Amino acid sequence: MMMSRINRHPSLLIAAALLAACLFFFVSSSSRSKTGPLSHTESVQPLSPSDDTNSCYVDLDLLRQYSTTSIEYGRLEIAVDQSDNFTGYTDTLNAGLPKFRRIPLDGDAQREDLPLERCTPAVTIKGPLPRPRPDASHLVFGVATSMERLLDSLDAFAHWAGGTNARILAVVDSGGSAKKEALARAEALGIRLIIREKEVEERLDRWFYLVRYLYELRDDKTQWTVLIDDDTFFPSMAKLVDRLATYDPAQPHYIGSMTEDLYQLYSGGLMAYGGAGIFLSLPLVKQLQPFFDECYVFKSGGDRMLAQCIYAHTNTKLTWERGLFQVDLRGDASGFYEAGREQPLSVHHWKSWFQADMVALSKVAGVAGEEALLHRWLLPGDWYLVNGFSVIQYATISDDPLPMEQTWDESKYTGPDPFTFSLGPLRRKDENKISYRLKTAVSERQRVRQIYVREVEPERLEVLEVVWSVASDNNAP
């Protein structure tokens, strides 16, 4: 067999090897010297093997939840300097959106390691020091639900009730084997959960029965009984406790919120709507006990039965607490969340009429505090970061930031301005608004990674990862 030309000349083989080594060193050095933003179409192959100690990386497995081919990726790092003299967040943030680059996702790599320079915070802002959980032992919450929905609600309950000594009574139709699981999970999450089974009545009847059950659960610390739905969410238990402290619990109080929609108001009546949370002081609950059976005969929605009972047998009237929200907004309720107004005391319908992952939204509180939830910052280029919900840019720029964008469906109410009494001022829906919506959030040691996704066009997605970290921990391994 004839030998190849290279084999017959060893000097040529050595020269070829040296040339290949030089080329590899040049390309590798050139790649490492790039520390600025990559262009929109640039693609970087995952480094191998991955360094598990490197906290600066792209989670490819996480991105594959949204695409199996490729994705346009950008990353914004924000550091929080936790301070004991924190007085509140500003409304502007000097950190522009990053450039996006294409990342292929059709390989097997789980992550793409990045140079630490790429994870340098774009801005450092002041934030609150971690605070102890508030003492809410004077509150007893009641919810009528199913075991399945109760299990699905525990993570959300943990945000506001975990570690606060507040008690939650869940009245379910049948617990079965899931009851033990629910109690174990609640204990692990720091929730003081009590489960009571009642199979005979419908859920709305079980809801009204909470008035009796919660009174039976009172102890020496109890001041308030609170009726909620399983999709009621309180962004900050500390703010809720502080707001309740402005009322005298020794007096009869019926505190809640009306529906935001006049159509619902005319059909349901002037009352506290259950999804926003209904707060009854113990003296009022005591007044209702002798009339429970009589009130139970009036069959209607649980919150309507409660209002009828209070109005018929006491002289206590509804106190409309404006921080509580029923969120009776069908369709796209994003305008409510993106309004940049004072943080709600409660929200409702977030996993039924509208999908907003409040569990993912609340994770950033571990770094930036509960004050940061839904806080709206104006970024360069007329972008807004609505923390935990979306990153948006309006097509129609307004000089007045106060009006809320009415993104939800029209009311069936035939008169004028069905939502203005509760949510005004309002403005028209911006049909050409650009929006990255939060899909998930991941908590890690002293940082939280938020994933915001935008569908640019079918089969083309942009993912903006916003990473919040404690400023003192930025250089930690």
Side-chain angles (χ1 to χ4, degrees):
M1 180 181 296
M2 184 178 294
M3 296 177 61
S4 69
R5 179 176 299 180
I6 292 180
N7 287 341
R8 285 187 286 114
H9 296 278
S11 59
L12 291 177
L13 180 62
I14 295 172
L18 288 173
L19 179 60
C22 291
L23 286 173
F24 175 80
F25 176 81
F26 175 79
V27 172
S28 176
S29 300
S30 176
S31 176
R32 285 195 301 269
S33 68
K34 285 188 178 183
T35 58
L38 297 173
S39 71
H40 194 285
T41 57
E42 257 185 300
S43 175
V44 174
Q45 296 299 319
L47 303 178
S48 180
S50 293
D51 179 7
D52 290 336
T53 64
N54 180 13
S55 63
C56 184
Y57 65 92
V58 182
D59 189 337
L60 301 180
D61 278 346
L62 186 61
L63 298 186
R64 289 188 182 102
Q65 296 180 23
Y66 315 108
S67 174
T68 57
T69 55
S70 67
I71 217 159
E72 307 288 341
Y73 174 83
R75 185 188 188 99
L76 174 63
E77 297 261 352
I78 302 172
V80 180
D81 182 12
Q82 297 176 340
S83 170
D84 58 1
N85 61 0
F86 173 76
T87 58
Y89 285 111
T90 63
D91 293 331
T92 59
L93 197 63
N94 188 25
L97 257 61
K99 292 183 178 180
F100 289 79
R101 62 184 177 88
R102 178 180 173 275
I103 293 183
L105 299 173
D106 51 0
D108 296 327
Q110 295 179 320
R111 55 187 273 173
E112 175 189 307
D113 289 321
L114 301 173
L116 290 177
E117 293 82 359
R118 294 205 180 278
C119 296
T120 302
V123 66
T124 299
I125 60 178
K126 289 287 185 181
L129 283 171
R131 303 186 183 105
R133 299 289 283 160
D135 180 14
S137 57
H138 57 307
L139 305 179
V140 184
F141 294 82
V143 58
T145 185
S146 66
M147 279 304 307
E148 181 181 4
R149 289 179 64 91
L150 176 61
L151 284 166
D152 185 59
S153 301
L154 289 179
D155 287 338
F157 288 175
H159 169 74
W160 50 268
T164 68
N165 288 318
R167 288 178 291 165
I168 300 179
L169 168 66
V171 180
V172 301
D173 49 358
S174 177
S177 59
K179 180 178 179 180
K180 185 176 180 180
E181 177 188 353
L183 291 172
R185 280 188 55 194
E187 183 178 6
L189 293 169
I191 302 171
R192 296 179 64 188
L193 178 66
I194 305 153
I195 297 177
R196 185 163 184 169
E197 299 175 51
K198 190 168 184 61
E199 299 181 0
V200 179
E201 288 80 9
E202 296 294 330
R203 183 182 302 177
L204 294 177
D205 294 337
R206 297 199 308 272
W207 197 96
F208 184 72
Y209 255 93
L210 290 168
V211 177
R212 171 170 287 175
Y213 294 156
L214 292 174
Y215 186 69
E216 293 172 351
L217 281 176
R218 72 191 185 282
D219 59 23
D220 292 341
K221 295 182 178 180
T222 305
Q223 296 178 349
W224 300 93
T225 62
V226 190
L227 287 76
I228 62 174
D229 288 349
D230 55 27
D231 59 348
T232 302
F233 185 86
F234 301 102
S236 172
M237 178 64 95
K239 286 187 176 182
L240 183 63
V241 168
D242 289 345
R243 188 68 59 88
L244 284 176
T246 63
Y247 296 91
D248 182 1
Q251 300 299 317
H253 286 294
Y254 171 40
I255 301 170
S257 178
M258 295 182 289
T259 176
E260 293 81 13
D261 185 352
L262 277 179
Y263 178 80
Q264 294 286 114
L265 185 64
Y266 273 89
S267 60
L270 188 61
M271 64 178 189
Y273 286 71
I278 300 176
F279 296 78
L280 308 177
S281 63
L282 205 57
L284 178 60
V285 182
K286 182 178 180 180
Q287 289 180 17
L288 298 179
Q289 298 308 307
F291 308 104
F292 182 86
D293 292 335
E294 182 179 343
C295 293
Y296 187 71
V297 174
F298 178 75
K299 294 294 185 180
S300 183
D303 45 11
R304 184 74 186 108
M305 293 172 67
L306 176 61
Q308 174 76 5
C309 193
I310 292 173
Y311 295 155
H313 298 288
T314 79
N315 61 4
T316 302
K317 299 298 182 282
L318 171 66
T319 298
W320 183 7
E321 176 52 66
R322 297 301 303 270
L324 304 172
F325 288 94
Q326 173 75 4
V327 197
D328 276 344
L329 309 175
R330 295 190 179 275
D332 179 10
S334 62
F336 169 83
Y337 291 91
E338 294 169 345
R341 297 181 183 177
E342 183 179 358
Q343 185 185 84
L345 290 177
S346 70
V347 296
H348 179 228
H349 284 147
W350 55 274
K351 58 178 181 178
S352 51
W353 290 18
F354 177 68
Q355 297 299 313
D357 191 340
M358 303 306 291
V359 175
L361 178 148
S362 64
K363 287 186 178 181
V364 72
V367 170
E370 291 178 339
E371 297 91 332
L373 304 185
L374 291 175
H375 187 84
R376 187 177 74 171
W377 281 278
L378 175 62
L379 279 58
D382 294 319
W383 286 94
Y384 287 96
L385 168 60
V386 185
N387 197 11
F389 186 81
S390 65
V391 179
I392 55 175
Q393 185 185 59
Y394 294 106
T396 304
I397 305 299
S398 173
D399 294 331
D400 185 0
L402 185 59
M404 178 184 293
E405 182 190 8
Q406 187 175 333
T407 56
W408 54 90
D409 298 345
E410 293 292 335
S411 172
K412 295 180 181 179
Y413 178 69
T414 57
D417 303 324
F419 299 103
T420 305
F421 85 100
S422 59
L423 298 175
L426 300 171
R427 63 184 179 90
R428 292 182 178 179
K429 182 177 181 178
D430 190 332
E431 298 289 352
N432 297 312
K433 175 178 66 177
I434 300 174
S435 177
Y436 297 84
R437 187 69 59 81
L438 182 80
K439 295 298 183 182
T440 191
V442 180
S443 297
E444 297 175 341
R445 191 178 72 86
Q446 298 206 25
R447 73 172 188 169
V448 173
R449 298 187 290 119
Q450 298 171 325
I451 303 297
Y452 298 86
V453 178
R454 173 196 174 206
E455 184 179 22
V456 181
E457 56 190 38
E459 304 301 323
R460 181 186 165 199
L461 299 179
E462 288 183 347
V463 169
L464 174 63
E465 182 168 9
V466 180
V467 182
W468 297 81
S469 60
V470 177
S472 61
D473 193 57
N474 288 330
N475 297 319

